[in-house]
Amino acid sequence: MEKYWQADIETMSREDMKALQSERLVKQVRHVYDNVPYYRDLMDKKGVTPDDIQSVDDLHKLPFLSKADLREAYPTGMLAVPMKDCVRIHSTSGTTGRRVVAFYTQNDVDLWEDCCARAITAAGGTADDVCQVAYGYGLFTGGFGLNGGSHKVGCLTLPMSSGNTERQIQFMRDLGATILCCTPSYAAYIGETLHDMGLTPDDIQLKAGIFGAEPWTEEMRRSIEQSLGIKAYDIYGLTESSGPGVAFECCEQTGMHINEDHFIPEIIDPETGEVLPEGTVGELVFTSITKEAFPLLRYRTRDLCVLSRKKCSCGRTLIKMAKPKGRSDDMMIIRGVNVFPSQIETVLIEQGYSPNYLIEVDRKNNSDTLDISVEMNPEQFSDKVKDLQEKERSLAGAIKTMLGISPKVHLVAPKTITRSEGKAVRVIDKRKLHD
Amino acid sequence: METIKQFSIFVENKQGKMAELTRLIADAGIDLRTLSLADTRDFGILRIIVNKPAETEALLRENGWTFKITSVIGVKVPDCPGGVATVLKALNEANVNVEYMYAFVNRTPGRADTVICVDDEEAAFSILRSKNIDLLTEAEAYDI
Ligand SMILES: [Zn+2]
């Protein structure tokens, strides 16, 4: 029997959900218009007033917000309540520019933790579980978000944060952790370390993992499931929209249910901004309809994905989003071709290689070069140069088939590519150095 | 069948990698009987025959090197013109492919002992035996 955290919401009829969304949207637009001058200006420029928004069908009339807007409004330009009403901030890493600081009221934190509790429940979590949170704690949303959700569900929560992998495994064993929450690349690393310590999935109690905060492939999922002996569930979110828990996977593992009572999703054409019909791939846009402190309307996530209202066997009626194909800023244009790291990862795992790889893009003699270093496992090593070169050639061929451009593949020794305890660094684009 | 254990070790073409590896082996008191390096732009495969195979295997494993133990044939080739040619001709007659070969350095006067890796050991042994070409025993190869 499928368990829900908030059954009334998670299985609500489409009509009721639409009514709930409309009611909340109308209120939210008024709240933002009255309290966020930055967005009021955008609405005024577009000639839209709060009165023009009567239901979710009017959503398309509102202006978009982009990451650039948030940077411009840094640090408090998007704040919609007095600072004294806020109880917490989180922040993006700021690796690709100025940081974004998101504010939370106590109510915002509560609703966010409910979203995470839905995810944990959907992964089979109950008050009987021991939930190990190995996402970073701090400005990053991952640690605190899942920690809060785990408390709500009533799990015994292990606030491990990321890093110190052998200690992670020791706690996992000694306290019988049953659910692991971290980035997929860190989960893969924990699996690898477990095996290096001479242990197998039989030595741990883990049954499920909730992994997010970076794009990962189906192949990576299978590989993690095997190495840890668990079912691995995807979770989606971004700091701008509170953190993990915007969408979560159920037992079907065929996409993530979006918490539509808090976030209205749209898919748009990233070029024209036009709203695309359900089932079309495009850029995901979210409107937060319950956030008080940092309510973003029509925020462009830059994640490319597709939505589906197909009936789900878990009984939830919440719309599903497919695993994002990649974030539009992860996309590289190499020799004129769009390339996502996830496409390369898919080929590597299909061909039996480890998900530890490094993509280096450079420009030589006005032509882009694509070099991929891939770890081989000890069984793949051959003492004949021509065998290894043949492996490199055949892998390069498979990647060419996927991408349409030829890479140079370099096999490297096992465990020589740096492991990540948080979000993995998969791409080094040296072309940027020349620009 | 008398095959010799050869260690083939994956060495990335990075400054100091080869020195690190040979230093590790020397510090463990292991002697290299012979070595050969096959390399490309990215990586090399160091092939070695040592006096203490068991210790070497444990050492490499503990230190995380990627390696394989390959069985190779040691041939006692007469140190005279055409010595190697005779051996290769025999193998060729039996349709045995030589993957690679390299020599031991100057051990027994009058002989140029050679390491040969072939695709079909059994066929190689029978043809070499039938041609009265002597093979190195493991003890001779490791020089115990
Ligand atoms: Zn479902």
Side-chain angles (χ1 to χ4, degrees), chain A residues 93-157:
Chain A
S93 61
T95 41
T96 53
R98 214 151 139 193
R99 286 174 180 279
V100 172
V101 175
F103 295 83
Y104 304 72
T105 63
Q106 184 58 51
N107 189 52
D108 290 337
V109 172
D110 279 343
L111 298 184
W112 173 29
E113 290 178 353
D114 270 329
C115 290
C116 291
R118 289 180 194 172
I120 292 170
T121 307
T126 68
D128 296 333
D129 282 293
V130 178
C131 182
Q132 179 160 357
V133 181
Y135 277 115
Y137 282 64
L139 288 172
F140 176 53
T141 53
F144 280 99
L146 270 307
N147 190 96
S150 171
H151 273 225
K152 285 220 168 189
V153 173
C155 303
L156 170 62
T157 309

Side-chain angles (χ1 to χ4, degrees), chain A residues 136-381:
Chain A
Y137 282 64
L139 288 172
F140 176 53
T141 53
F144 280 99
L146 270 307
N147 190 96
S150 171
H151 273 225
K152 285 220 168 189
V153 173
C155 303
L156 170 62
T157 309
L158 314 186
M160 302 296 295
S161 199
S162 61
N164 204 337
T165 309
E166 295 205 354
R167 188 181 66 189
Q168 298 272 3
I169 291 169
Q170 194 197 335
F171 272 74
M172 189 180 282
R173 297 185 72 198
D174 294 351
L175 295 169
T178 50
I179 299 175
L180 173 66
C181 307
C182 60
T183 60
S185 51
Y186 193 42
Y189 182 36
I190 291 175
E192 188 178 86
T193 308
L194 182 82
H195 292 267
D196 287 352
M197 289 165 76
L199 302 171
T200 71
D202 292 340
D203 296 307
I204 54 174
Q205 311 289 316
L206 223 52
K207 61 177 188 187
I210 300 173
F211 307 130
E214 63 183 10
W216 52 311
T217 57
E218 278 305 318
E219 290 73 18
M220 181 104 163
R221 186 211 299 269
R222 281 192 286 278
S223 144
I224 294 171
E225 287 188 330
Q226 206 168 30
S227 80
L228 288 171
I230 59 171
K231 274 192 91 165
Y233 299 91
D234 207 351
I235 186 167
Y236 177 87
L238 54 179
T239 309
E240 296 90 321
S241 64
S242 68
V246 169
F248 62 93
E249 237 173 13
C250 63
C251 54
E252 222 184 60
Q253 293 180 305
T254 53
M256 294 173 274
H257 289 288
I258 296 174
N259 286 315
E260 289 181 271
D261 53 329
H262 301 300
F263 307 99
I264 305 178
E266 295 171 278
I267 293 288
I268 62 160
D269 180 327
E271 303 293 330
T272 65
E274 183 198 347
V275 178
L276 299 174
E278 185 195 314
T280 316
V281 179
E283 181 179 346
L284 187 58
V285 172
F286 277 117
T287 295
S288 317
I289 47 176
T290 51
K291 285 195 76 179
E292 297 171 340
F294 198 69
L296 301 186
L297 304 182
R298 298 198 89 198
Y299 180 67
R300 296 183 60 158
T301 63
R302 304 170 322 287
D303 280 326
L304 301 177
C305 84
V306 56
L307 299 179
S308 161
R309 284 217 180 267
K310 226 177 102 196
K311 196 168 184 301
C312 188
S313 62
C314 77
R316 287 180 185 78
T317 49
L318 301 170
I319 195 169
K320 278 159 92 172
M321 60 181 272
K323 217 176 227 318
K325 197 169 160 244
R327 193 156 276 196
S328 49
D329 12 337
D330 290 340
M331 189 184 81
M332 304 168 277
I333 300 179
I334 303 172
R335 286 172 233 154
V337 175
N338 296 351
V339 173
F340 286 99
S342 60
Q343 293 173 294
I344 294 172
E345 181 176 305
T346 298
V347 176
L348 293 182
I349 299 178
E350 264 172 15
Q351 305 275 323
Y353 289 89
S354 89
N356 294 299
Y357 59 94
L358 185 68
I359 299 168
E360 290 175 83
V361 188
D362 204 348
R363 187 171 295 137
K364 282 176 190 139
N365 304 322
N366 293 320
S367 170
D368 294 334
T369 59
L370 172 60
D371 286 80
I372 306 170
S373 299
V374 183
E375 281 185 9
M376 56 182 165
N377 59 43
E379 296 74 53
Q380 285 162 329
F381 172 61

Side-chain angles (χ1 to χ4, degrees), chain A residues 371 376-386 388-389 392 408-414 416, chain B residues 6 8-10 12 14 17 38-43 45 47 64 66-68 70 99-100 117:
Chain A
D371 286 80
M376 56 182 165
N377 59 43
E379 296 74 53
Q380 285 162 329
F381 172 61
S382 158
D383 89 316
K384 295 174 189 79
V385 171
K386 65 167 195 254
L388 292 182
Q389 285 176 330
E392 289 181 337
K408 259 201 202 100
V409 169
H410 312 275
L411 291 178
V412 300
T416 49
Chain B
Q6 170 199 264
S8 305
I9 309 158
F10 183 77
E12 276 176 66
K14 276 192 200 146
K17 271 285 167 197
D39 66 344
T40 70
R41 202 170 52 82
D42 286 337
F43 61 83
I45 299 171
R47 302 182 180 121
T66 303
F67 67 98
K68 257 201 164 67
T70 318
E99 305 281 2
Y100 53 82
C117 179

